[in-house]
């Protein structure tokens, strides 16, 4: 079932505070109710009853700490604020969220690998007031595809037929190409498992470059396989995105995209 502005199961009576109050909440609950608090150089993981709260970069280390808490029997939801990070680590987290049928809530920001692999994996997904989910590319974006295609073309030739230029290119790009090829295969398997159309990760790049990063409307999320979503009432407006960017003093443009269900045309909401 597709939900917009409906209260998801498992939320009980606990209202997640705004980001400006999270630090205060951490310090108060650490003394009273929190069973576990783990902090790294660029992340923190906290448990409050059946809720795990994560803030920071998605790395091998931070995801390992999140998984320890998520796999406890009582866990129902992950609250996240993340600018992304390592794609493989994010997919590992996404798989665990999917397998455990956990709800996910975005407080503040979920971008890059968080948007690609963590948010779509949730059972029920909620973006709190003032939150935003943004994409800016993926393993199959155009420049990565071109690099891998060139690698496949050159490595498919007999070694004795390679030119000096081709050999030099392989020496400089073979490792990167192999890593990208592996990432593309892993991403494809992951998206197939969760039912996500990977084109959402490059929607603002192809066929036309519409901006360095983008979010999408509720109906577009649904069209790409992101279901059971609760968004702020005005999330589907350009004013919401502009307000979000202004409050954070961002100079990089974030656009709100919508795909026409009949024509498939991608447009920027609020554009003249």
């Amino acid at each position: 079932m597709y939900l917009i502005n409906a209260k998801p199961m498992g939320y009980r009576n606990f209202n997640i505070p705004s980001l400006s109050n999270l630090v205060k909440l951490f310090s108060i609950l650490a003394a009273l109710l929190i069973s576990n608090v783990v902090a790294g150089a660029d992340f923190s993981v906290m448990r409050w009853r059946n809720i795990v709260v994560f803030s920071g970069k998605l790395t091998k280390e931070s995801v390992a700490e999140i998984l320890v808490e998520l796999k406890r029997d009582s866990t129902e939801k992950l609250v996240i604020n993340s600018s992304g990070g390592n794609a493989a680590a994010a997919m590992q987290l996404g798989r665990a969220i999917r397998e455990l049928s956990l709800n996910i809530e975005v407080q503040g920001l979920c971008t890059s690998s968080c948007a690609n692999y963590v948010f779509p994996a949730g059972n029920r997904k909620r973006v709190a007031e003032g939150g935003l989910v943004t994409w800016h590319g993926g393993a199959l974006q155009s420049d990565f595809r071109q690099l891998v295609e060139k690698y496949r073309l050159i490595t498919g030739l007999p070694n004795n037929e390679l030119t000096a230029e081709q050999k030099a290119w392989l020496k400089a790009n073979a490792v990167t190409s192999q890593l990208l090829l592996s990432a593309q295969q892993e991403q494809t398997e992951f998206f197939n498992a969760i039912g996500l159309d990977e084109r959402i990760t490059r929607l603002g790049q192809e066929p036309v470059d519409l901006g360095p990063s983008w979010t999408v409307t509720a109906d577009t999320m649904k069209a790409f396989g992101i279901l059971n979503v609760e968004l702020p009432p005005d999330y589907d407006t350009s004013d919401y995105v502009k307000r979000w960017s202004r409050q954070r003093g961002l100079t990089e443009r974030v656009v709100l995209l919508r795909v026409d269900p009949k024509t498939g045309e991608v447009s920027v909401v609020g554009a003249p």
Side-chain angles (χ1 to χ4, degrees):
M1 181 172 62
Y2 183 55
L3 300 177
I4 293 294
N5 300 325
K7 189 171 184 178
M9 293 174 60
Y11 277 58
R12 298 187 178 180
N13 295 318
F14 179 66
N15 294 318
I16 299 297
S18 63
L19 274 180
S20 62
N21 291 325
L22 273 178
V23 174
K24 294 180 182 177
L25 177 69
F26 286 0
S27 61
I28 294 172
L29 293 184
L32 298 175
L33 296 171
I34 295 175
S35 57
N36 281 305
V37 178
V38 179
D42 53 4
F43 73 91
S44 64
V45 182
M46 177 188 84
R47 166 174 285 277
W48 193 88
R49 294 183 179 176
N50 59 357
I51 299 169
V52 175
V53 180
F54 172 76
S55 181
K57 291 290 253 183
L58 293 167
T59 64
K60 183 178 179 180
E61 178 189 11
S62 66
V63 167
E65 297 294 347
I66 298 170
L67 293 179
V68 169
E69 293 302 322
L70 291 186
K71 291 179 180 179
R72 291 172 60 177
D73 291 342
S74 62
T75 305
E76 293 185 2
K77 179 173 65 172
L78 172 67
V79 175
I80 192 166
N81 172 45
S82 177
S83 59
N86 182 273
M91 277 187 266
Q92 182 185 14
L93 177 57
R95 281 191 290 268
I97 291 170
R98 184 75 169 184
E99 291 168 3
L100 296 168
S101 297
L102 299 177
N103 299 325
I104 188 163
E105 177 172 322
V106 174
Q107 281 276 351
L109 178 65
C110 178
T111 190
S112 190
S113 61
C114 179
N116 287 1
Y117 313 120
V118 180
F119 180 72
N123 180 27
R124 292 180 182 270
K125 310 159 190 72
R126 179 175 187 263
V127 178
E129 181 64 41
L132 200 69
V133 179
T134 67
W135 290 264
H136 63 208
L140 285 171
Q141 64 189 52
S142 178
D143 53 340
F144 293 164
R145 294 199 310 273
Q146 291 172 11
L147 186 68
V148 168
E149 287 167 6
K150 185 171 183 178
Y151 171 77
R152 281 173 163 162
L153 176 64
I154 294 176
T155 55
L157 298 173
N159 192 58
N160 60 359
E161 293 183 12
L162 295 181
T163 65
E165 181 181 357
Q166 289 171 328
K167 290 178 180 179
W169 188 93
L170 273 181
K171 184 176 180 180
N173 296 284
V175 173
T176 299
S177 299
Q178 290 165 3
L179 290 172
L180 273 175
L181 182 58
S182 177
Q184 289 173 352
Q185 293 170 342
E186 185 178 7
Q187 176 182 275
T188 298
E189 292 173 1
F190 177 79
F191 285 161
N192 287 341
I194 68 172
L196 183 70
D197 185 336
E198 68 82 24
R199 290 177 300 171
I200 196 170
T201 69
R202 48 194 175 93
L203 188 65
Q205 299 173 335
E206 304 174 36
V208 179
D209 186 358
L210 298 173
S213 60
W214 58 91
T215 189
V216 299
T217 58
D219 59 342
T220 299
M221 285 189 190
K222 183 178 181 180
F224 281 85
I226 303 178
L227 311 177
N228 301 325
V229 181
E230 178 190 356
L231 300 173
D234 59 342
Y235 190 94
D236 281 6
T237 66
S238 59
D239 286 343
Y240 182 93
V241 177
K242 291 176 182 176
R243 185 171 68 249
W244 186 93
S245 299
R246 186 170 59 250
Q247 289 172 347
R248 286 156 183 78
L250 297 184
T251 55
E252 182 181 83
R253 184 173 177 233
V254 179
V255 295
L256 173 63
L257 302 182
R258 181 178 184 273
V259 176
D260 188 297
K262 294 182 178 180
T263 65
E265 182 180 354
V266 182
S267 61
V268 178
V269 176

